[in-house]
Amino acid sequence: MAPSTIENSLAGLCDLVPQLTDDLLNDVDQPLQIETDTKSEKKFICCDYNRDGDSFRSPWSGTYFPQAEADALYPSKYLRSLEVDANAIFDVYRKLYFEGGSYSSVYFFSVEEVSDETKGFGACFLIHKDIKTQDKLKKGCWDSTHVFQVNQLKPDLFEYKLTSTVMISMVMNDKKSGDTDLSGSMNKQKTEQRAISKEKATNHITNMGTMIEKMDHVIRNQITDIYFSKTRYVLEGIRLTSGARSKKMEQIALGIQEALKKSGK
């Protein structure tokens, strides 16, 4: 499903098979939504990792909007401290690479198979950027989701499993070609083993941040070099200018006439 239509398609599926609503919402990647934290007066990104029912937890104040039930899930003190630091650092990263019109959020969470959170946990890094409307571009957005599963291998050695998903949507409008929806998504995975050392000033946040920066670079290059270049190549192959199209149609007509003459019809 194209990112620009996935919300409507998913809503339709949930109406058709309501018993699968939770599975669909958890398994299908959707465009990221923005909510306002009225306590900190900051915007934050909504996703499955900060959702409890119909409420979403802000990484800035740690509060649910709208107010959640009394038994809502919250990260432990250890994970919350990592989450606060990660949000402050990732916000700087966002400003450097995505500039205006963008938002970032980071959420840390416990995983069922690990009882000691210092030895294993999960984290989700999110960025949403709205592309300014200009010329033929009616609307557009960039959504990137980086999900980590972190597990301890040795006292100072951890394994970081990263799954990154980028969704791009651009709706163009041109008098000649009409409305064009250039939307798509890319999913990539990477696993690395990295050490934590006070002497070398390495920790979980720096390790994950380095992996995200590298992954973003790879995805950006692939989107530019493969998807956009290939789209341009295909469009140039199937779209002809008005003059070229007329000549091509004349050639086709002449060819048909010649074939009819040879067949005696």
Side-chain angles (χ1 to χ4, degrees), residues 41-106:
E41 297 183 347
K42 287 187 175 184
K43 303 283 188 180
F44 67 94
I45 301 174
C46 303
C47 70
D48 192 56
Y49 296 100
N50 69 323
R51 179 171 66 91
D52 194 293
D54 294 327
S55 301
F56 294 90
R57 184 175 62 84
S58 166
W60 308 113
S61 65
T63 305
Y64 276 95
F65 296 91
Q67 185 176 353
E69 300 293 333
D71 60 348
L73 295 174
Y74 290 88
S76 65
K77 185 177 179 180
Y78 171 72
L79 293 182
R80 177 58 180 161
S81 64
L82 289 174
E83 186 178 90
V84 170
D85 291 341
N87 273 283
I89 295 172
F90 202 53
D91 191 46
V92 175
Y93 174 86
R94 171 193 64 81
K95 292 176 182 177
L96 289 173
Y97 283 91
F98 294 87
E99 300 179 339
S102 61
Y103 306 93
S104 65
S105 294
V106 182

Short mmCIF file of all heavy atoms in Angstrom, two decimals, residues 41-106:
data_model
loop_
_atom_site.label_atom_id
_atom_site.label_comp_id
_atom_site.label_asym_id
_atom_site.label_seq_id
_atom_site.Cartn_x
_atom_site.Cartn_y
_atom_site.Cartn_z
N GLU A 41 4.68 21.99 26.14
CA GLU A 41 4.43 22.82 24.96
C GLU A 41 5.34 22.42 23.81
O GLU A 41 5.90 23.25 23.11
CB GLU A 41 4.60 24.31 25.29
CG GLU A 41 3.61 24.81 26.33
CD GLU A 41 3.74 26.30 26.59
OE1 GLU A 41 4.74 26.88 26.15
OE2 GLU A 41 2.84 26.86 27.24
N LYS A 42 5.45 21.10 23.61
CA LYS A 42 6.24 20.56 22.51
C LYS A 42 5.42 19.52 21.75
O LYS A 42 4.50 18.91 22.28
CB LYS A 42 7.53 19.89 23.03
CG LYS A 42 8.59 20.87 23.50
CD LYS A 42 9.87 20.11 23.84
CE LYS A 42 11.01 21.04 24.19
NZ LYS A 42 12.28 20.31 24.43
N LYS A 43 5.80 19.33 20.49
CA LYS A 43 5.17 18.32 19.67
C LYS A 43 5.89 16.99 19.87
O LYS A 43 7.11 16.95 20.10
CB LYS A 43 5.23 18.70 18.19
CG LYS A 43 4.60 20.04 17.84
CD LYS A 43 3.10 19.96 17.80
CE LYS A 43 2.51 21.26 17.26
NZ LYS A 43 1.02 21.20 17.22
N PHE A 44 5.16 15.89 19.78
CA PHE A 44 5.78 14.57 19.83
C PHE A 44 5.10 13.64 18.84
O PHE A 44 4.00 13.91 18.36
CB PHE A 44 5.75 14.00 21.25
CG PHE A 44 4.37 13.65 21.75
CD1 PHE A 44 3.86 12.37 21.62
CD2 PHE A 44 3.58 14.61 22.39
CE1 PHE A 44 2.60 12.05 22.09
CE2 PHE A 44 2.33 14.31 22.87
CZ PHE A 44 1.81 13.01 22.71
N ILE A 45 5.79 12.55 18.51
CA ILE A 45 5.33 11.62 17.49
C ILE A 45 4.62 10.43 18.13
O ILE A 45 5.09 9.89 19.13
CB ILE A 45 6.50 11.13 16.62
CG1 ILE A 45 7.19 12.32 15.94
CG2 ILE A 45 6.04 10.14 15.57
CD1 ILE A 45 8.45 11.96 15.18
N CYS A 46 3.51 10.06 17.54
CA CYS A 46 2.72 8.92 18.03
C CYS A 46 3.11 7.65 17.28
O CYS A 46 3.27 7.66 16.07
CB CYS A 46 1.23 9.18 17.86
SG CYS A 46 0.62 10.69 18.66
N CYS A 47 3.24 6.55 18.03
CA CYS A 47 3.53 5.26 17.41
C CYS A 47 3.06 4.17 18.36
O CYS A 47 2.51 4.44 19.43
CB CYS A 47 5.02 5.11 17.10
SG CYS A 47 6.05 4.93 18.57
N ASP A 48 3.28 2.93 17.99
CA ASP A 48 2.81 1.82 18.81
C ASP A 48 3.60 1.69 20.11
O ASP A 48 3.12 1.11 21.08
CB ASP A 48 2.91 0.51 18.02
CG ASP A 48 2.19 -0.64 18.70
OD1 ASP A 48 0.98 -0.50 18.97
OD2 ASP A 48 2.83 -1.67 18.98
N TYR A 49 4.81 2.25 20.14
CA TYR A 49 5.67 2.09 21.31
C TYR A 49 5.38 3.11 22.43
O TYR A 49 5.96 3.00 23.51
CB TYR A 49 7.14 2.17 20.90
CG TYR A 49 7.55 1.05 19.99
CD1 TYR A 49 7.64 1.23 18.61
CD2 TYR A 49 7.82 -0.22 20.49
CE1 TYR A 49 8.00 0.19 17.77
CE2 TYR A 49 8.18 -1.26 19.65
CZ TYR A 49 8.26 -1.05 18.29
OH TYR A 49 8.60 -2.09 17.47
N ASN A 50 4.54 4.09 22.16
CA ASN A 50 4.13 5.01 23.23
C ASN A 50 2.61 5.08 23.36
O ASN A 50 2.06 6.00 23.92
CB ASN A 50 4.70 6.42 22.99
CG ASN A 50 4.06 7.12 21.80
OD1 ASN A 50 3.75 6.50 20.79
ND2 ASN A 50 3.90 8.43 21.90
N ARG A 51 1.96 4.04 22.80
CA ARG A 51 0.49 4.00 22.82
C ARG A 51 -0.02 3.11 23.93
O ARG A 51 0.52 2.04 24.20
CB ARG A 51 -0.05 3.48 21.47
CG ARG A 51 -1.56 3.38 21.40
CD ARG A 51 -2.01 3.09 19.99
NE ARG A 51 -1.58 1.76 19.54
CZ ARG A 51 -2.32 0.66 19.70
NH1 ARG A 51 -3.48 0.70 20.30
NH2 ARG A 51 -1.85 -0.49 19.25
N ASP A 52 -1.07 3.55 24.58
CA ASP A 52 -1.80 2.75 25.55
C ASP A 52 -3.28 3.02 25.31
O ASP A 52 -3.79 4.06 25.70
CB ASP A 52 -1.41 3.13 26.99
CG ASP A 52 -1.90 2.09 27.99
OD1 ASP A 52 -3.13 1.97 28.15
OD2 ASP A 52 -1.07 1.39 28.61
N GLY A 53 -3.94 2.09 24.63
CA GLY A 53 -5.32 2.33 24.23
C GLY A 53 -5.38 3.41 23.17
O GLY A 53 -4.72 3.33 22.14
N ASP A 54 -6.12 4.47 23.46
CA ASP A 54 -6.22 5.61 22.54
C ASP A 54 -5.36 6.78 22.98
O ASP A 54 -5.49 7.89 22.45
CB ASP A 54 -7.69 6.06 22.43
CG ASP A 54 -8.56 5.01 21.78
OD1 ASP A 54 -8.05 4.28 20.90
OD2 ASP A 54 -9.75 4.89 22.16
N SER A 55 -4.49 6.56 23.97
CA SER A 55 -3.63 7.63 24.49
C SER A 55 -2.18 7.38 24.09
O SER A 55 -1.77 6.24 23.89
CB SER A 55 -3.74 7.69 26.02
OG SER A 55 -5.06 7.93 26.44
N PHE A 56 -1.43 8.48 23.98
CA PHE A 56 -0.02 8.40 23.59
C PHE A 56 0.83 9.18 24.59
O PHE A 56 0.49 10.30 24.96
CB PHE A 56 0.18 8.97 22.18
CG PHE A 56 -0.50 8.16 21.12
CD1 PHE A 56 -1.81 8.42 20.74
CD2 PHE A 56 0.17 7.11 20.49
CE1 PHE A 56 -2.45 7.67 19.77
CE2 PHE A 56 -0.46 6.35 19.51
CZ PHE A 56 -1.77 6.63 19.15
N ARG A 57 1.95 8.54 25.00
CA ARG A 57 2.83 9.15 26.00
C ARG A 57 3.85 10.07 25.36
O ARG A 57 4.52 9.69 24.41
CB ARG A 57 3.54 8.05 26.81
CG ARG A 57 4.42 8.58 27.95
CD ARG A 57 4.99 7.43 28.76
NE ARG A 57 5.84 6.57 27.95
CZ ARG A 57 7.12 6.81 27.71
NH1 ARG A 57 7.70 7.90 28.20
NH2 ARG A 57 7.83 5.98 26.97
N SER A 58 3.98 11.27 25.89
CA SER A 58 4.97 12.22 25.39
C SER A 58 6.34 11.90 25.99
O SER A 58 6.45 11.65 27.19
CB SER A 58 4.56 13.65 25.77
OG SER A 58 5.66 14.54 25.58
N PRO A 59 7.40 11.93 25.16
CA PRO A 59 8.74 11.68 25.70
C PRO A 59 9.28 12.88 26.47
O PRO A 59 10.26 12.76 27.20
CB PRO A 59 9.58 11.42 24.45
CG PRO A 59 8.91 12.25 23.40
CD PRO A 59 7.44 12.18 23.71
N TRP A 60 8.65 14.04 26.31
CA TRP A 60 9.15 15.26 26.95
C TRP A 60 8.71 15.36 28.42
O TRP A 60 9.54 15.60 29.29
CB TRP A 60 8.68 16.49 26.18
CG TRP A 60 8.98 16.41 24.71
CD1 TRP A 60 8.10 16.31 23.68
CD2 TRP A 60 10.29 16.38 24.10
NE1 TRP A 60 8.75 16.22 22.47
CE2 TRP A 60 10.09 16.27 22.70
CE3 TRP A 60 11.59 16.44 24.61
CZ2 TRP A 60 11.16 16.21 21.81
CZ3 TRP A 60 12.65 16.38 23.71
CH2 TRP A 60 12.43 16.27 22.34
N SER A 61 7.44 15.15 28.68
CA SER A 61 6.94 15.23 30.06
C SER A 61 6.64 13.86 30.65
O SER A 61 6.44 13.74 31.87
CB SER A 61 5.66 16.08 30.11
OG SER A 61 4.61 15.46 29.38
N GLY A 62 6.58 12.83 29.80
CA GLY A 62 6.24 11.49 30.27
C GLY A 62 4.75 11.32 30.54
O GLY A 62 4.34 10.31 31.13
N THR A 63 3.94 12.25 30.09
CA THR A 63 2.50 12.24 30.32
C THR A 63 1.75 11.73 29.11
O THR A 63 2.15 11.97 27.97
CB THR A 63 2.01 13.67 30.65
OG1 THR A 63 2.76 14.17 31.75
CG2 THR A 63 0.54 13.67 31.00
N TYR A 64 0.62 11.03 29.36
CA TYR A 64 -0.22 10.53 28.28
C TYR A 64 -1.22 11.60 27.85
O TYR A 64 -1.78 12.31 28.68
CB TYR A 64 -0.99 9.29 28.73
CG TYR A 64 -0.20 8.01 28.60
CD1 TYR A 64 0.50 7.49 29.70
CD2 TYR A 64 -0.14 7.29 27.41
CE1 TYR A 64 1.21 6.30 29.61
CE2 TYR A 64 0.58 6.11 27.30
CZ TYR A 64 1.24 5.62 28.40
OH TYR A 64 1.95 4.44 28.30
N PHE A 65 -1.43 11.68 26.52
CA PHE A 65 -2.42 12.59 25.95
C PHE A 65 -3.29 11.82 24.96
O PHE A 65 -2.75 11.20 24.04
CB PHE A 65 -1.74 13.76 25.23
CG PHE A 65 -0.93 14.64 26.15
CD1 PHE A 65 0.42 14.38 26.38
CD2 PHE A 65 -1.52 15.70 26.80
CE1 PHE A 65 1.16 15.18 27.21
CE2 PHE A 65 -0.79 16.52 27.64
CZ PHE A 65 0.57 16.26 27.85
N PRO A 66 -4.63 11.81 25.13
CA PRO A 66 -5.32 12.27 26.35
C PRO A 66 -4.97 11.39 27.54
O PRO A 66 -4.28 10.38 27.37
CB PRO A 66 -6.79 12.15 25.96
CG PRO A 66 -6.82 11.08 24.90
CD PRO A 66 -5.55 11.25 24.13
N GLN A 67 -5.43 11.75 28.71
CA GLN A 67 -5.07 11.03 29.93
C GLN A 67 -5.43 9.55 29.82
O GLN A 67 -6.54 9.20 29.41
CB GLN A 67 -5.79 11.65 31.13
CG GLN A 67 -5.39 11.04 32.47
CD GLN A 67 -6.04 11.75 33.63
OE1 GLN A 67 -6.69 12.76 33.45
NE2 GLN A 67 -5.86 11.21 34.84
N ALA A 68 -4.47 8.70 30.19
CA ALA A 68 -4.67 7.26 30.07
C ALA A 68 -5.25 6.68 31.36
O ALA A 68 -5.41 7.38 32.37
CB ALA A 68 -3.34 6.59 29.75
N GLU A 69 -5.55 5.39 31.30
CA GLU A 69 -6.07 4.70 32.48
C GLU A 69 -4.99 4.61 33.56
O GLU A 69 -3.80 4.81 33.30
CB GLU A 69 -6.54 3.29 32.10
CG GLU A 69 -7.64 3.25 31.05
CD GLU A 69 -8.95 3.82 31.58
OE1 GLU A 69 -9.16 3.76 32.81
OE2 GLU A 69 -9.75 4.31 30.76
N ALA A 70 -5.42 4.28 34.77
CA ALA A 70 -4.49 4.23 35.91
C ALA A 70 -3.41 3.17 35.74
O ALA A 70 -2.30 3.30 36.28
CB ALA A 70 -5.27 3.99 37.20
N ASP A 71 -3.72 2.10 34.99
CA ASP A 71 -2.76 1.01 34.81
C ASP A 71 -1.95 1.15 33.53
O ASP A 71 -1.41 0.16 33.01
CB ASP A 71 -3.48 -0.33 34.84
CG ASP A 71 -4.53 -0.44 33.73
OD1 ASP A 71 -4.86 0.59 33.11
OD2 ASP A 71 -5.02 -1.57 33.50
N ALA A 72 -1.84 2.36 33.00
CA ALA A 72 -1.08 2.58 31.77
C ALA A 72 0.39 2.23 31.96
O ALA A 72 0.93 2.32 33.08
CB ALA A 72 -1.22 4.04 31.33
N LEU A 73 1.03 1.83 30.87
CA LEU A 73 2.43 1.43 30.93
C LEU A 73 3.37 2.64 30.93
O LEU A 73 3.18 3.57 30.16
CB LEU A 73 2.77 0.52 29.75
CG LEU A 73 2.06 -0.83 29.71
CD1 LEU A 73 2.38 -1.54 28.39
CD2 LEU A 73 2.46 -1.69 30.89
N TYR A 74 4.40 2.58 31.78
CA TYR A 74 5.44 3.61 31.83
C TYR A 74 6.80 2.92 31.88
O TYR A 74 6.93 1.82 32.43
CB TYR A 74 5.29 4.49 33.08
CG TYR A 74 4.09 5.40 33.06
CD1 TYR A 74 2.86 4.97 33.53
CD2 TYR A 74 4.19 6.69 32.56
CE1 TYR A 74 1.74 5.81 33.51
CE2 TYR A 74 3.08 7.55 32.53
CZ TYR A 74 1.87 7.09 33.01
OH TYR A 74 0.77 7.92 32.99
N PRO A 75 7.84 3.54 31.32
CA PRO A 75 9.17 2.95 31.40
C PRO A 75 9.71 3.02 32.83
O PRO A 75 9.30 3.87 33.62
CB PRO A 75 10.00 3.81 30.44
CG PRO A 75 9.30 5.13 30.43
CD PRO A 75 7.83 4.81 30.57
N SER A 76 10.63 2.11 33.13
CA SER A 76 11.25 2.12 34.46
C SER A 76 12.11 3.37 34.63
O SER A 76 12.37 4.11 33.67
CB SER A 76 12.11 0.87 34.63
OG SER A 76 13.20 0.91 33.71
N LYS A 77 12.57 3.61 35.83
CA LYS A 77 13.42 4.76 36.10
C LYS A 77 14.70 4.72 35.26
O LYS A 77 15.15 5.75 34.74
CB LYS A 77 13.77 4.81 37.58
CG LYS A 77 14.57 6.05 37.99
CD LYS A 77 14.83 6.06 39.48
CE LYS A 77 15.64 7.30 39.89
NZ LYS A 77 15.91 7.31 41.35
N TYR A 78 15.27 3.52 35.11
CA TYR A 78 16.50 3.35 34.32
C TYR A 78 16.25 3.69 32.85
O TYR A 78 17.00 4.46 32.23
CB TYR A 78 17.02 1.93 34.46
CG TYR A 78 18.15 1.57 33.52
CD1 TYR A 78 19.42 2.10 33.72
CD2 TYR A 78 17.93 0.72 32.44
CE1 TYR A 78 20.46 1.78 32.86
CE2 TYR A 78 18.97 0.39 31.58
CZ TYR A 78 20.23 0.93 31.79
OH TYR A 78 21.26 0.62 30.93
N LEU A 79 15.18 3.12 32.28
CA LEU A 79 14.88 3.36 30.87
C LEU A 79 14.44 4.80 30.63
O LEU A 79 14.75 5.39 29.60
CB LEU A 79 13.80 2.40 30.38
CG LEU A 79 14.19 0.92 30.32
CD1 LEU A 79 13.04 0.09 29.78
CD2 LEU A 79 15.44 0.72 29.45
N ARG A 80 13.73 5.37 31.59
CA ARG A 80 13.28 6.76 31.44
C ARG A 80 14.47 7.71 31.41
O ARG A 80 14.48 8.70 30.66
CB ARG A 80 12.32 7.13 32.56
CG ARG A 80 11.83 8.58 32.55
CD ARG A 80 11.13 8.94 31.27
NE ARG A 80 10.68 10.34 31.29
CZ ARG A 80 10.37 11.03 30.21
NH1 ARG A 80 10.48 10.48 29.00
NH2 ARG A 80 9.98 12.28 30.31
N SER A 81 15.50 7.42 32.20
CA SER A 81 16.69 8.28 32.20
C SER A 81 17.40 8.22 30.85
O SER A 81 17.86 9.24 30.33
CB SER A 81 17.65 7.87 33.33
OG SER A 81 18.16 6.57 33.11
N LEU A 82 17.46 7.00 30.25
CA LEU A 82 18.03 6.87 28.91
C LEU A 82 17.18 7.60 27.88
O LEU A 82 17.69 8.26 26.98
CB LEU A 82 18.15 5.39 28.53
CG LEU A 82 19.20 4.54 29.24
CD1 LEU A 82 19.06 3.08 28.82
CD2 LEU A 82 20.60 5.03 28.93
N GLU A 83 15.87 7.50 28.05
CA GLU A 83 14.93 8.12 27.12
C GLU A 83 15.07 9.64 27.11
O GLU A 83 15.07 10.27 26.05
CB GLU A 83 13.51 7.71 27.51
CG GLU A 83 12.45 8.16 26.53
CD GLU A 83 11.06 7.67 26.94
OE1 GLU A 83 10.37 8.40 27.70
OE2 GLU A 83 10.68 6.56 26.51
N VAL A 84 15.19 10.23 28.29
CA VAL A 84 15.33 11.69 28.39
C VAL A 84 16.60 12.16 27.69
O VAL A 84 16.58 13.13 26.91
CB VAL A 84 15.33 12.13 29.87
CG1 VAL A 84 15.71 13.61 29.99
CG2 VAL A 84 13.96 11.89 30.50
N ASP A 85 17.72 11.49 27.95
CA ASP A 85 18.99 11.86 27.32
C ASP A 85 18.93 11.66 25.80
O ASP A 85 19.42 12.51 25.03
CB ASP A 85 20.14 11.04 27.91
CG ASP A 85 20.43 11.39 29.35
OD1 ASP A 85 20.02 12.50 29.79
OD2 ASP A 85 21.06 10.58 30.05
N ALA A 86 18.34 10.55 25.38
CA ALA A 86 18.27 10.25 23.95
C ALA A 86 17.43 11.28 23.21
O ALA A 86 17.77 11.69 22.09
CB ALA A 86 17.70 8.85 23.74
N ASN A 87 16.34 11.73 23.80
CA ASN A 87 15.49 12.73 23.15
C ASN A 87 16.22 14.06 22.98
O ASN A 87 16.08 14.72 21.95
CB ASN A 87 14.20 12.93 23.94
CG ASN A 87 13.11 11.95 23.55
OD1 ASN A 87 12.47 12.10 22.51
ND2 ASN A 87 12.94 10.92 24.36
N ALA A 88 16.98 14.45 23.99
CA ALA A 88 17.72 15.71 23.90
C ALA A 88 18.77 15.65 22.79
O ALA A 88 18.92 16.60 21.99
CB ALA A 88 18.38 16.01 25.23
N ILE A 89 19.47 14.52 22.69
CA ILE A 89 20.52 14.36 21.67
C ILE A 89 19.92 14.19 20.28
O ILE A 89 20.39 14.78 19.30
CB ILE A 89 21.43 13.17 22.03
CG1 ILE A 89 22.18 13.46 23.34
CG2 ILE A 89 22.42 12.89 20.90
CD1 ILE A 89 22.95 12.28 23.87
N PHE A 90 18.87 13.38 20.18
CA PHE A 90 18.26 13.12 18.88
C PHE A 90 17.59 14.37 18.32
O PHE A 90 17.48 14.53 17.10
CB PHE A 90 17.24 11.99 19.01
CG PHE A 90 16.94 11.28 17.71
CD1 PHE A 90 17.96 10.77 16.93
CD2 PHE A 90 15.63 11.12 17.29
CE1 PHE A 90 17.69 10.10 15.74
CE2 PHE A 90 15.34 10.46 16.10
CZ PHE A 90 16.37 9.95 15.33
N ASP A 91 17.15 15.26 19.19
CA ASP A 91 16.55 16.52 18.73
C ASP A 91 17.61 17.38 18.03
O ASP A 91 17.31 18.07 17.06
CB ASP A 91 15.95 17.27 19.92
CG ASP A 91 15.08 18.43 19.49
OD1 ASP A 91 14.25 18.26 18.58
OD2 ASP A 91 15.24 19.53 20.06
N VAL A 92 18.84 17.34 18.54
CA VAL A 92 19.94 18.06 17.88
C VAL A 92 20.24 17.43 16.52
O VAL A 92 20.45 18.14 15.52
CB VAL A 92 21.20 18.04 18.78
CG1 VAL A 92 22.38 18.69 18.06
CG2 VAL A 92 20.94 18.76 20.10
N TYR A 93 20.25 16.10 16.47
CA TYR A 93 20.46 15.38 15.21
C TYR A 93 19.40 15.77 14.18
O TYR A 93 19.69 16.02 13.01
CB TYR A 93 20.43 13.88 15.49
CG TYR A 93 20.49 13.00 14.26
CD1 TYR A 93 21.71 12.63 13.71
CD2 TYR A 93 19.32 12.51 13.67
CE1 TYR A 93 21.77 11.80 12.59
CE2 TYR A 93 19.37 11.68 12.56
CZ TYR A 93 20.60 11.33 12.02
OH TYR A 93 20.66 10.52 10.92
N ARG A 94 18.14 15.83 14.63
CA ARG A 94 17.04 16.21 13.74
C ARG A 94 17.25 17.60 13.15
O ARG A 94 17.05 17.82 11.95
CB ARG A 94 15.72 16.17 14.52
CG ARG A 94 14.54 16.75 13.75
CD ARG A 94 13.35 16.98 14.65
NE ARG A 94 13.60 17.97 15.68
CZ ARG A 94 13.55 19.28 15.49
NH1 ARG A 94 13.27 19.78 14.30
NH2 ARG A 94 13.78 20.12 16.49
N LYS A 95 17.63 18.54 13.98
CA LYS A 95 17.82 19.92 13.51
C LYS A 95 18.95 20.01 12.49
O LYS A 95 18.88 20.78 11.54
CB LYS A 95 18.10 20.84 14.70
CG LYS A 95 16.91 21.02 15.63
CD LYS A 95 17.27 21.86 16.84
CE LYS A 95 16.10 22.02 17.80
NZ LYS A 95 16.48 22.78 19.02
N LEU A 96 19.99 19.21 12.68
CA LEU A 96 21.14 19.25 11.78
C LEU A 96 20.83 18.64 10.42
O LEU A 96 21.23 19.17 9.38
CB LEU A 96 22.33 18.51 12.41
CG LEU A 96 23.01 19.20 13.60
CD1 LEU A 96 24.05 18.27 14.21
CD2 LEU A 96 23.67 20.49 13.17
N TYR A 97 20.08 17.53 10.41
CA TYR A 97 19.86 16.80 9.16
C TYR A 97 18.51 17.08 8.49
O TYR A 97 18.39 16.95 7.27
CB TYR A 97 19.97 15.29 9.42
CG TYR A 97 21.39 14.80 9.56
CD1 TYR A 97 22.01 14.75 10.79
CD2 TYR A 97 22.12 14.39 8.44
CE1 TYR A 97 23.32 14.29 10.92
CE2 TYR A 97 23.42 13.94 8.56
CZ TYR A 97 24.03 13.90 9.80
OH TYR A 97 25.31 13.46 9.92
N PHE A 98 17.50 17.47 9.27
CA PHE A 98 16.17 17.63 8.70
C PHE A 98 15.63 19.06 8.78
O PHE A 98 14.63 19.38 8.15
CB PHE A 98 15.19 16.67 9.39
CG PHE A 98 15.47 15.22 9.12
CD1 PHE A 98 16.36 14.52 9.92
CD2 PHE A 98 14.86 14.57 8.07
CE1 PHE A 98 16.64 13.17 9.68
CE2 PHE A 98 15.13 13.23 7.81
CZ PHE A 98 16.02 12.54 8.61
N GLU A 99 16.25 19.88 9.60
CA GLU A 99 15.93 21.31 9.69
C GLU A 99 14.44 21.55 10.02
O GLU A 99 13.83 20.78 10.74
CB GLU A 99 16.34 22.02 8.39
CG GLU A 99 17.83 21.90 8.10
CD GLU A 99 18.24 22.58 6.82
OE1 GLU A 99 17.37 22.80 5.95
OE2 GLU A 99 19.43 22.91 6.67
N GLY A 100 13.90 22.64 9.48
CA GLY A 100 12.54 23.05 9.83
C GLY A 100 11.46 22.12 9.33
O GLY A 100 11.64 21.37 8.38
N GLY A 101 10.29 22.17 10.01
CA GLY A 101 9.17 21.34 9.64
C GLY A 101 9.31 19.89 10.06
O GLY A 101 8.53 19.03 9.61
N SER A 102 10.27 19.59 10.93
CA SER A 102 10.51 18.21 11.34
C SER A 102 10.32 18.05 12.85
O SER A 102 10.43 19.02 13.61
CB SER A 102 11.92 17.76 10.95
OG SER A 102 12.90 18.57 11.59
N TYR A 103 10.05 16.82 13.26
CA TYR A 103 9.85 16.50 14.68
C TYR A 103 10.54 15.17 14.97
O TYR A 103 10.66 14.31 14.08
CB TYR A 103 8.36 16.39 15.01
CG TYR A 103 7.55 17.60 14.61
CD1 TYR A 103 6.92 17.65 13.36
CD2 TYR A 103 7.43 18.70 15.45
CE1 TYR A 103 6.19 18.76 12.97
CE2 TYR A 103 6.71 19.82 15.07
CZ TYR A 103 6.09 19.85 13.83
OH TYR A 103 5.38 20.95 13.44
N SER A 104 10.96 15.00 16.22
CA SER A 104 11.61 13.75 16.61
C SER A 104 11.09 13.29 17.97
O SER A 104 10.67 14.11 18.80
CB SER A 104 13.13 13.91 16.66
OG SER A 104 13.51 14.81 17.69
N SER A 105 11.13 12.00 18.19
CA SER A 105 10.76 11.42 19.48
C SER A 105 11.52 10.11 19.65
O SER A 105 11.78 9.40 18.67
CB SER A 105 9.25 11.14 19.55
OG SER A 105 8.50 12.33 19.54
N VAL A 106 11.86 9.79 20.90
CA VAL A 106 12.56 8.55 21.22
C VAL A 106 11.84 7.89 22.39
O VAL A 106 11.50 8.55 23.37
CB VAL A 106 14.03 8.79 21.60
CG1 VAL A 106 14.73 7.45 21.87
CG2 VAL A 106 14.76 9.55 20.50
#
